[in-house]
Amino acid sequence: MKFSIITVCLNAVNTIEECINSVLNQDYSDVEYIVMDGGSTDGTYETLLKYKDRIHCLCSEKDAGLYDALNKGIQKSKGDVIAILHSDDLFVSKTIISEYANAFKLYQTDGVYADVRYINPNLKQLYVNRILFTCRCKTGNN
């Protein structure tokens, strides 16, 4: 099962590197990483270039906003599963994608999400929303 991870950013120099490393350090190997930069002017793009050999698709161009950039990233994706990781977010464990892959197989489901931790810039955890949710999408005319 191939995962396409999409990160959209604009002027995110303070958070983008930690986000990138949380994707690139995953223990799951079948990952395509797509980064859509909206034309950053704060050094974000220069940070992205340090990882260009490990990012499968790096695009820096003006867009019509977050959802336009996400849609462009989705169009470029080739994965079986698409995940969105915003530029100020990160995977807190190196096994997150493996855990998602296992959940897809175990529950034979179409969607999975889990454990969202909200942390302020001083690294104080505000709260954890502990859930494992899976959903099965209907197909056909129903």
Side-chain angles (χ1 to χ4, degrees), residues 6-72:
I6 301 170
T7 297
V8 171
C9 60
L10 177 64
N11 295 331
V13 71
N14 293 328
T15 58
I16 193 65
E17 194 157 22
E18 191 172 19
C19 174
I20 291 168
N21 282 314
S22 79
V23 174
L24 298 180
N25 292 326
Q26 289 295 303
D27 70 349
Y28 192 84
S29 62
D30 202 1
V31 174
E32 165 190 61
Y33 192 30
I34 299 167
V35 180
M36 305 298 293
D37 175 57
S40 294
T41 59
D42 69 341
T44 298
Y45 186 66
E46 290 74 16
T47 300
L48 294 171
L49 288 176
K50 293 190 318 189
Y51 298 93
K52 69 179 179 179
D53 293 339
R54 297 183 63 200
I55 296 173
H56 297 85
C57 176
L58 173 58
C59 181
S60 182
E61 63 187 22
K62 288 284 185 192
D63 53 54
L66 173 67
Y67 298 107
D68 180 46
L70 283 171
N71 283 326
K72 287 179 181 180

Side-chain angles (χ1 to χ4, degrees), residues 6 34 36 69-78 82 84:
I6 301 170
I34 299 167
M36 305 298 293
L70 283 171
N71 283 326
K72 287 179 181 180
I74 290 168
Q75 288 172 351
K76 293 177 181 299
S77 69
K78 296 179 176 76
I82 295 173
I84 308 298

